[in-house]
Amino acid sequence: MLLDLVKKRRSIRKFTDEKVSDEEIRKIIEIALHAPTAKNQNPVRYIVIKDKERLKELSKYKKVGSAFLAGANVAIAVVTDTEIAPVTNHQDASIVATYLLLAAAEMGLGATWGNVTNAVNEEGRASQDVLKEFFKLDDKFNVECIIGIGHSAEEKSEKIPFDYDENVFEDLDAVK
């Protein structure tokens, strides 16, 4: 059941050295390729990084919150073509990222995502610019997030869901 999978998925930032197979990577991306996009435009592209040196370099794309990539076995950059979907590219990528994270959890792998929006690296450069240079991307592309994946080297406690009664309203005028 989907609820069981959602409960199982946790943000994993520590990984073992065990490899994620090419077949596993392909299955994860295949699942993401089924993610919906606005008007079925499909502006999302995927860049897979498996080289450990490139992962270490990638782990510095922003000042805080990307170091986990150095220990990941693989990273997937979720990239959008802003010419295809200039209005909905961020939303399309968000849905795709969720599919990627759930797919990894379904396969027993750990994963988490690193934000790019409004982030800067240690030198104060915009992470978006750093990543476009790293991946040699044209200006029309936007790196939306980086997802690190591997075999988990940490145990996480169960996530306590937000309170239903405090967060769900049946009438618009009920929101306070």
Side-chain angles (χ1 to χ4, degrees), residues 17-70:
D17 290 332
E18 184 180 350
K19 294 279 187 201
V20 174
S21 72
D22 289 342
E23 181 181 327
E24 290 170 313
I25 295 166
R26 187 169 180 87
K27 283 181 183 177
I28 289 168
I29 293 175
E30 186 177 330
I31 289 168
L33 291 170
H34 288 276
T37 60
K39 299 180 184 175
N40 205 28
Q41 293 179 84
N42 190 25
V44 183
R45 305 294 178 261
Y46 307 83
I47 302 174
V48 177
I49 308 94
K50 298 187 286 187
D51 180 77
K52 285 306 270 182
E53 289 305 312
R54 294 271 291 163
L55 287 166
K56 285 179 189 171
E57 187 179 341
L58 184 61
S59 74
K60 299 173 187 167
Y61 81 87
K62 68 179 184 170
K63 188 187 263 187
V64 177
S66 59
F68 72 94
L69 292 167

Side-chain angles (χ1 to χ4, degrees), residues 4 6 8 12 27 41 61 66 85 99 121 124 141 144 148 159 163 172:
D4 294 329
V6 170
K8 180 170 103 170
I12 301 298
K27 283 181 183 177
Q41 293 179 84
Y61 81 87
S66 59
Y99 274 52
N121 71 359
F141 293 105
E144 304 292 346
K159 181 185 182 332
D163 183 79
L172 290 177

Side-chain angles (χ1 to χ4, degrees), residues 32 44-49 58 61-62 65-66 68-69 75-80 89-101 111-119 127-128 131-132 134-135 137 141-149:
V44 183
R45 305 294 178 261
Y46 307 83
I47 302 174
V48 177
I49 308 94
L58 184 61
Y61 81 87
K62 68 179 184 170
S66 59
F68 72 94
L69 292 167
I76 300 173
V78 178
V79 178
T80 56
N89 60 306
H90 300 305
Q91 293 91 333
D92 294 337
S94 295
I95 297 167
V96 162
T98 301
Y99 274 52
L100 290 167
L101 292 167
T112 197
W113 70 281
N115 174 55
V116 178
T117 304
N118 296 326
S127 294
Q128 188 65 239
L131 290 168
K132 282 183 179 184
F134 181 83
F135 293 122
L137 295 173
F141 293 105
N142 199 41
V143 182
E144 304 292 346
C145 67
I146 310 287
I147 297 176
I149 301 171

